[in-house]
Amino acid sequence: MDTSFYLMIDIFVTGCGIYVVAQYLFMARTHELRKNMLLPKEIPVERCKDVEGYIQAIGKKQLVFGLAATICGIISLLQDLLGSVNIYISMTAMVVFIVLCIWYGRASKQAIEKFW
């Protein structure tokens, strides 16, 4: 495949990671939930039973996921831009990102079930 495709994916992953961290910082600072945060569209933010409890349950997990996505995206981006110095580094970053996506998805689903 063309390297521009991989660059686009890496930029997307990095951007998503930064977005997740920004959402965490907003949530932790204001103790509010936004409509455009990481929730399914059918989940109304206003109906959260315990906003503080939700923030406590998902906050640090969201931060870990966002930082890991940003780091994994940057690692892959550097690998693509500088040439594949070590393919195992890029592959490890990809596997870590996928595992953390699954982990965060499950944690988010459990928090939604508990607080909505």
Side-chain angles (χ1 to χ4, degrees):
M1 279 194 155
D2 190 17
T3 57
S4 62
F5 175 75
Y6 292 117
L7 284 172
M8 195 170 54
I9 297 271
D10 297 338
I11 291 169
F12 178 75
V13 169
T14 305
C16 287
I18 292 168
Y19 177 78
V20 171
V21 171
Q23 288 295 323
Y24 164 77
L25 292 174
F26 173 82
M27 188 172 63
R29 188 172 37 91
T30 63
H31 301 281
E32 296 176 8
L33 302 179
R34 286 183 172 176
K35 288 183 180 181
N36 62 347
M37 60 182 288
L38 302 172
L39 292 170
K41 289 182 181 182
E42 65 271 4
I43 304 291
V45 175
E46 309 82 39
R47 291 194 181 164
C48 181
K49 297 176 199 169
D50 180 11
V51 173
E52 285 297 319
Y54 177 77
I55 292 171
Q56 290 295 320
I58 202 70
K60 288 188 173 100
K61 294 173 185 171
Q62 185 173 346
L63 179 62
V64 168
F65 175 65
L67 289 173
T70 303
I71 292 167
C72 290
I74 290 171
I75 288 170
S76 293
L77 187 61
L78 289 174
Q79 288 282 81
D80 290 343
L81 291 174
L82 300 175
S84 187
V85 177
N86 187 342
I87 191 69
Y88 297 112
I89 294 171
S90 187
M91 295 301 286
T92 301
M94 185 184 305
V95 169
V96 167
F97 175 70
I98 291 169
V99 167
L100 286 173
C101 280
I102 294 167
W103 170 75
Y104 181 75
R106 292 183 69 187
S108 179
K109 184 177 179 181
Q110 290 172 350
I112 289 169
E113 288 173 357
K114 184 175 181 180
F115 293 104
W116 265 269

